Amino acid sequence: MYNLLISAVAAIVVLLVVTLAIHLPWWAGVLIATVVFLACFLLIARIITKKLEAIMEPAMKDIQAQRFEKGIRDLKSALKYGKWQIYVESQINSAIGMVYFVRREFQTAFPYLEKGFFKNWVTMGMLAVTYMKRNKHDQMKQTFEKAVMASPKESLLWALYGYCLNEIGETVKACEVLAKGVAKLPGDENLKQNLELLREGKKMKMKGYGEMWLQFHLESLATLQKQQMAAMGGGRRRFIRK
C-alpha cells in the first residue's frame, strides 16, 4: 500500500539523517523515525479518508434513492484509492457487490463479492450463497468459516450458514454449526428455535430475521408473495376493525 510505503521511506530517510549526518545515538534515531512514520501514516490516512467520504456518502445516498447506476459508478471511481490504504479496495468491492446482489444481478455481483472485505459478514454471506448456488460447496463452507471467525456475534450469519448446509443435504453439520452459534450467543431465541427444528427434521424458520434475511434471496418468489399477501391481509383486517 502506498501509504505504508511512503511512510516507511520517510522514516528510513530520517533515521539515516539523524544517525549518520547529525550523529545522534541509534536509539534516538529509531525513536524519531518511528514518530515520523506514524505522523506520515496518519496524515495520509486522514487525507485519503476525506477523499473517500466525499465520494462514498453521495454514492450511498444515490443508491438509497434507487439511482443505482450513478451510485455504482461513483463507488467504482473510489477504487482508484484502493492502493493507498489497507482494506479500502476490499470494502469498496463489498459495497458494489452488495448492490448488484440485492438487485439480483448475481453474475455481476460475484467478482466484486470475491474481492470483498472479509469482516463484512453480509457480503461474505452473499458470496457463500453464490458458491452454494454454483454447487461449489467446499468454497461455500470456507467462506462461511472465514465469516463466522471474523464476526462470531452475528446471529443471522450462523443461521444462514446452517440453512445453506441443510439445503445441500448436510443436516448434521448444520446442527453442529447452529450449536456453535448458540454457544456464542446463548440468549438468541432464533438460533435455539432453528436448532430444535433441524433436530426434529423440520425446515428452519427464518422470518424472525425480517428484511435482513430476505436480502440473501433464498426464499422463492411464491413464498415472498404469500408473505406479502398475508401482511396486506393483516393490515386490511386491522383497518376494517378500526
Side-chain angles (χ1 to χ4, degrees):
M1 296 298 157
Y2 296 153
N3 190 354
L4 283 170
L5 181 61
I6 293 170
S7 301
V9 169
I12 292 169
V13 169
V14 168
L15 177 62
L16 293 174
V17 169
V18 298
T19 54
L20 299 180
I22 305 178
H23 303 296
L24 289 179
W26 68 268
W27 59 265
V30 170
L31 181 61
I32 295 170
T34 301
V35 172
V36 169
F37 174 84
L38 291 173
C40 287
F41 185 86
L42 293 174
L43 176 61
I44 294 171
R46 183 176 178 80
I47 292 170
I48 297 301
T49 298
K50 290 289 185 183
K51 289 182 180 292
L52 286 169
E53 286 174 353
I55 296 173
M56 298 287 285
E57 288 179 10
M60 296 313 295
K61 287 180 180 178
D62 282 331
I63 289 167
Q64 289 168 4
Q66 297 190 3
R67 295 187 292 270
F68 297 111
E69 288 75 15
K70 185 177 183 302
I72 291 172
R73 186 168 61 248
D74 289 342
L75 286 175
K76 288 180 179 179
S77 73
L79 286 170
K80 63 188 176 186
Y81 297 111
K83 301 298 183 184
W84 281 89
Q85 198 161 312
I86 191 169
Y87 296 138
V88 164
E89 187 172 1
S90 60
Q91 290 183 66
I92 295 170
N93 279 319
S94 286
I96 296 170
M98 182 187 291
V99 176
Y100 280 129
F101 190 95
V102 169
R103 295 186 69 195
R104 292 182 175 271
E105 296 181 38
F106 304 122
Q107 286 287 119
T108 309
F110 181 65
Y112 292 101
L113 294 174
E114 270 196 314
K115 295 180 286 188
F117 188 40
F118 71 99
K119 286 192 176 182
N120 187 327
W121 69 269
V122 174
T123 54
M124 290 291 283
M126 290 174 174
L127 177 60
V129 168
T130 304
Y131 281 134
M132 180 189 73
K133 290 181 176 180
R134 295 185 175 198
N135 293 317
K136 295 182 177 180
H137 298 161
D138 288 340
Q139 286 164 287
M140 180 201 85
K141 294 175 198 174
Q142 290 167 11
T143 302
F144 271 127
E145 286 296 329
K146 193 174 181 181
V148 295
M149 188 177 296
S151 306
K153 297 295 184 180
E154 296 295 342
S155 173
L156 178 52
L157 178 60
W158 288 104
L160 181 64
Y161 190 2
Y163 184 96
C164 290
L165 286 168
N166 191 48
E167 285 291 294
I168 63 174
E170 297 190 22
T171 305
V172 174
K173 176 68 175 175
C175 289
E176 292 173 359
V177 164
L178 290 182
K180 289 180 181 177
V182 170
K184 293 287 184 181
L185 300 161
D188 193 287
E189 294 303 321
N190 281 318
L191 289 177
K192 288 180 181 178
Q193 179 193 36
N194 280 312
L195 177 57
E196 289 303 313
L197 287 170
L198 284 186
R199 285 172 173 169
E200 293 170 5
K202 298 177 182 178
K203 188 174 181 179
M204 291 175 65
K205 294 182 179 180
M206 304 295 283
K207 285 176 62 178
Y209 291 107
E211 294 292 328
M212 286 292 288
W213 157 247
L214 296 179
Q215 70 184 331
F216 293 102
H217 299 303
L218 288 170
E219 294 282 9
S220 67
L221 289 176
T223 300
L224 291 175
Q225 287 171 352
K226 286 180 183 178
Q227 291 175 359
Q228 289 170 353
M229 292 299 292
M232 290 170 64
R236 193 179 299 116
R237 286 193 295 273
R238 287 193 295 272
F239 179 76
I240 292 170
R241 282 198 292 269
K242 289 180 181 179

